[in-house]
Amino acid sequence: MSIEINREACAGCGACSEACPGSLLLLDEKGKAAIPKPERCWGCVSCVKECPARAIEFFLGADMGGRGGRMSVRREASMLHWDIRKPGGGLKTITVDSGDANKY
Ligand code: SF4
Ligand code: SF4
């Protein structure tokens, strides 16, 4: 389970590095996000949610019942729109109100 960073899209803001609870992300010598030990990622998706440039995608591999799709998120106020790109093409979006997270 891991993430993939689009270095072209990365703006070097460091938000992902601050968000990762495992301190797995850093900014490299070019000021771009990097994950030197991707095998340590446990898929909490905090970095995916915090990246303002949508430069991080979560890889949905077989280890978590996926088939190689990729997931990223768009924020709209408290709404999170999770876009899942399927490996053969096609897009599915799941919308969640993050304001509901602390209701229960
Ligand atoms: S998914 Fe979670 S554990 Fe993995 S790199 Fe991102 S913030 Fe860290
Ligand atoms: S949050 Fe996104 S734009 Fe900012 S450093 Fe991380 S990958 Fe780059």
Side-chain angles (χ1 to χ4, degrees), residues 8-51:
E8 296 289 314
C10 173
C13 69
C16 56
S17 178
E18 286 178 27
C20 180
S23 304
L24 301 177
L25 292 154
L26 50 80
L27 294 180
D28 66 12
E29 68 284 353
K30 292 188 173 162
K32 301 283 186 176
I35 180 165
K37 295 184 176 169
E39 71 279 7
R40 292 196 180 169
C41 170
W42 64 90
C44 73
V45 299
S46 296
C47 58
V48 180
K49 285 193 283 189
E50 293 305 318
C51 177

Side-chain angles (χ1 to χ4, degrees), residues 29-101:
E29 68 284 353
K30 292 188 173 162
K32 301 283 186 176
I35 180 165
K37 295 184 176 169
E39 71 279 7
R40 292 196 180 169
C41 170
W42 64 90
C44 73
V45 299
S46 296
C47 58
V48 180
K49 285 193 283 189
E50 293 305 318
C51 177
R54 294 189 78 189
I56 306 178
E57 289 186 317
F58 186 63
F59 181 70
L60 300 163
D63 56 336
M64 55 179 305
R67 294 183 178 173
R70 286 161 194 280
M71 187 168 76
S72 63
V73 67
R74 290 176 283 124
R75 277 184 184 273
E76 205 174 31
S78 69
M79 306 305 280
L80 299 177
H81 306 288
W82 290 95
D83 290 333
I84 301 166
R85 286 193 294 120
K86 299 178 184 176
L91 179 74
K92 180 174 182 176
T93 300
I94 299 170
T95 297
V96 177
D97 186 346
S98 62
D100 286 345

